[in-house]
Amino acid sequence: MNSELAHDNAEALTRVVVIGGGYAGVMAANRLTQRDDLTVTLINPRSTFVHRIRLQQHLAGSGDAVVEYSDVLAERVRLVVDSATQIRSSGRTVTMASGESLDYDYLIYAIGSGSGRPDVPGAAEFALPIASLEEAQRARSALEAAPPDAPVTVVGGGVTGIEVASELAARGTKVTLVCGEVLNPYLHPKTRRKITKKLLALGVTLVEGPGARVARVERDSVQLSDGRALSSRVIIWAAGFGLPDLAARSGLSTDADGRLLTDETLTSVDDPRILAAGDSAAPSDLPLRMSCQAANPLGAHAADTVLRRIAGEEPAPIDIAVFFQCISLGPGAATVQLASKQDAAKRFSLGGRLGAKVKYSSFPGLIKELAHEGHEPGSYRWRFKNPKRKLQVRAKRNELLTIDPARSR
Ligand SMILES: Cc1cc2nc3c(=O)[nH]c(=O)nc-3n(C[C@H](O)[C@H](O)[C@H](O)COP(=O)(O)OP(=O)(O)OC[C@H]3O[C@@H](n4cnc5c(N)ncnc54)[C@H](O)[C@@H]3O)c2cc1C
């Protein structure tokens, strides 16, 4: 359908608004263009796509995390550069920071995650988060302003902390990684040993154990709970992600962390016209691991649910699994922790050339998946499925029934 005709028929078209132009939102928007009789509008605060899984490279100056939307988004999707500030489900409108608002027939909530709000004294003031492009740019400027031999402390021993520490150490920065009790508790001990060895070989000083919790952050030091003080010129905060509060602010049900609570078709438990995907979705209060591995299929599934509803068909439950965790360990190196269908780390991991190939091919691979869906909507298929998710949901329901009967739906 050409755009003039589309405009004349605007009254008859179903309006789908997607909030958030990350992996999940772009995948959903592209997939929706399978139908000619709907308009797809994507709201995002920037005019460029952020390839978040490359932000550690962006920070270290070893790679770029910015991609043009023209490279990933279907031509038919209208991009509105703005931030959603309120969803009014009763009137089916989204209000934006500019004061403009958009009406919708279906809404997909895909606003992702951001940096967690640390409750450690001094952290908000002196530590630099890196969960968004702007934050990574600020941290990069601080690193560039510091002398080459200045001590840098990275707080957080999870994947992001490990990736940041190794990327910086590989370029010669003197890095201390504060892990808390143990380096990335998710990992299998065998994989943890391998990663520890690699970090030490890169020259990263690892601080872990019962006293390695950050108690206070000052302008030039990180104070640990056991009294140690780590002299630091730049302090990077990579201790977990936080969730934006748009859903809660809009009166929609969320899980305890702020993700929009949905059923297994990714439909909000409050409103059949609202769906969620990616980091900001909590299907059955059992969210998948925050990852782009989950975001792409969740985005596609949310679009499928909308398309099925429009077609008068029953939407399907999700069957998505997250089967591994890829961790980059400086340029050209990586470990891939394999996981079970329930996302528990297995004994096996991939390292060496194979691990690096899997990790580094995912950078262009994810962009290709989005672009391909933009050109051939409906073509994307996810390989990793979890037919046992039903059992997990049932178990969770029983657990909730035991804890609080009012929460069972
Ligand atoms: C340094 C780093 C490294 C990572 N490495 C990996 C990795 O190796 N593997 C992996 O699987 N995951 C990794 N992740 C996590 C991964 O990036 C996220 O899980 C993924 O981006 C989630 O995708 P999403 O589409 O849900 O959200 P996002 O990619 O966060 O996209 C959400 C979009 O919504 C926009 N938005 C937010 N609020 C609003 C609003 N109010 N209105 C409109 N738009 C809004 C945001 O600006 C953003 O563009 C990493 C993250 C970081 C920070």
Side-chain angles (χ1 to χ4, degrees):
M1 190 183 285
N2 72 37
S3 57
E4 260 174 51
L5 192 56
H7 189 258
D8 288 346
N9 288 343
E11 292 292 298
L13 298 176
T14 302
R15 298 152 305 176
V16 188
V17 172
V18 180
I19 312 180
Y23 305 99
V26 169
M27 177 57 83
N30 286 350
R31 198 162 180 94
L32 287 162
T33 63
Q34 280 172 84
R35 282 186 77 116
D36 283 343
D37 59 349
L38 45 82
T39 60
V40 187
T41 306
L42 178 69
I43 308 172
N44 194 68
R46 281 169 228 95
S47 59
T48 47
F49 175 86
V50 177
H51 200 0
R52 269 182 90 197
I53 66 166
R54 298 193 69 176
L55 280 179
Q56 72 282 0
Q57 296 184 326
H58 194 90
L59 169 80
S62 51
D64 194 4
V66 177
V67 176
E68 295 302 322
Y69 271 115
S70 54
D71 291 337
V72 286
L73 199 57
E75 269 181 33
R76 254 195 58 210
V77 177
R78 181 164 79 101
L79 176 68
V80 172
V81 180
D82 212 329
S83 280
T85 50
Q86 185 83 31
I87 301 162
R88 289 185 211 283
S89 53
S90 52
R92 290 198 211 140
T93 58
V94 183
T95 309
M96 294 173 285
S98 61
E100 300 284 312
S101 60
L102 284 170
D103 296 335
Y104 65 83
D105 297 301
Y106 289 94
L107 180 82
I108 299 184
Y109 184 84
I111 66 171
S113 55
S115 44
R117 288 191 191 88
D119 53 4
V120 173
E125 213 177 339
F126 300 118
L128 298 164
I130 44 131
S132 71
L133 178 69
E134 294 72 17
E135 289 170 350
Q137 275 165 343
R138 224 172 299 136
R140 181 171 166 170
S141 303
L143 289 165
E144 282 167 357
D149 58 349
V152 172
T153 300
V154 178
V155 179
V159 185
T160 311
I162 295 173
E163 292 194 335
V164 168
S166 43
E167 203 70 36
L168 292 178
R171 64 166 217 173
T173 306
K174 203 170 139 197
V175 183
T176 299
L177 179 62
V178 182
C179 310
E181 191 90 17
V182 65
L183 179 79
N184 195 347
Y186 170 83
L187 297 173
H188 188 278
K190 203 172 153 210
T191 314
R192 188 175 303 116
R193 281 196 292 277
K194 277 194 203 170
I195 292 181
T196 299
K197 208 169 149 193
K198 177 70 184 173
L199 286 168
L200 295 174
L202 282 167
V204 175
T205 303
L206 284 177
V207 179
E208 42 179 347
R213 298 222 145 261
V214 177
R216 178 175 199 85
V217 178
E218 293 180 352
R219 185 176 300 281
D220 54 5
S221 79
V222 172
Q223 316 278 328
L224 302 182
S225 51
D226 62 6
R228 276 179 288 173
L230 308 171
S231 167
S232 320
R233 171 69 185 249
V234 179
I235 301 159
I236 294 174
W237 197 266
F241 296 147
L243 277 301
D245 63 356
L246 176 61
R249 242 188 305 126
S250 303
L252 297 164
S253 299
T254 63
D255 73 355
D257 294 325
R259 300 175 187 88
L260 194 125
L261 201 54
T262 74
D263 65 12
E264 288 294 285
T265 69
L266 302 180
T267 306
S268 156
V269 295
D270 305 307
D271 186 336
R273 299 281 182 156
I274 298 179
L275 295 97
D279 284 2
S280 53
S284 303
D285 208 1
L286 263 174
L288 285 97
R289 174 164 21 109
M290 289 198 206
S291 61
C292 47
Q293 266 181 75
N296 273 7
L298 284 167
H301 195 98
D304 287 349
T305 295
V306 171
L307 293 171
R308 284 199 181 196
R309 287 234 161 82
I310 294 171
E313 294 166 10
E314 195 62 34
I318 53 167
D319 59 356
I320 298 160
V322 178
F323 259 105
F324 48 84
Q325 186 172 67
C326 297
I327 306 174
S328 64
L329 296 166
T335 293
V336 179
Q337 169 68 72
L338 302 182
S340 70
K341 286 176 182 167
Q342 283 73 39
D343 197 12
K346 285 186 172 176
R347 199 177 154 71
F348 302 104
S349 62
L350 310 176
R353 278 198 202 158
L354 185 55
K357 192 172 169 200
V358 172
K359 172 74 183 180
Y360 284 87
S361 64
S362 75
F363 292 156
L366 279 157
I367 297 300
K368 273 190 205 151
E369 279 179 4
L370 297 175
H372 194 257
E373 188 65 12
H375 293 301
E376 280 181 40
S379 61
Y380 173 68
R381 301 271 176 276
W382 49 99
R383 275 172 294 166
F384 302 115
K385 306 209 173 206
N386 178 13
K388 291 201 173 148
R389 188 170 158 92
K390 272 191 215 139
L391 297 175
Q392 284 171 269
V393 173
R394 210 173 299 147
K396 176 85 183 173
R397 263 199 199 140
N398 291 341
E399 178 201 319
L400 289 176
L401 272 171
T402 325
I403 297 166
D404 177 3
R407 288 197 66 189
S408 65
R409 284 173 187 275

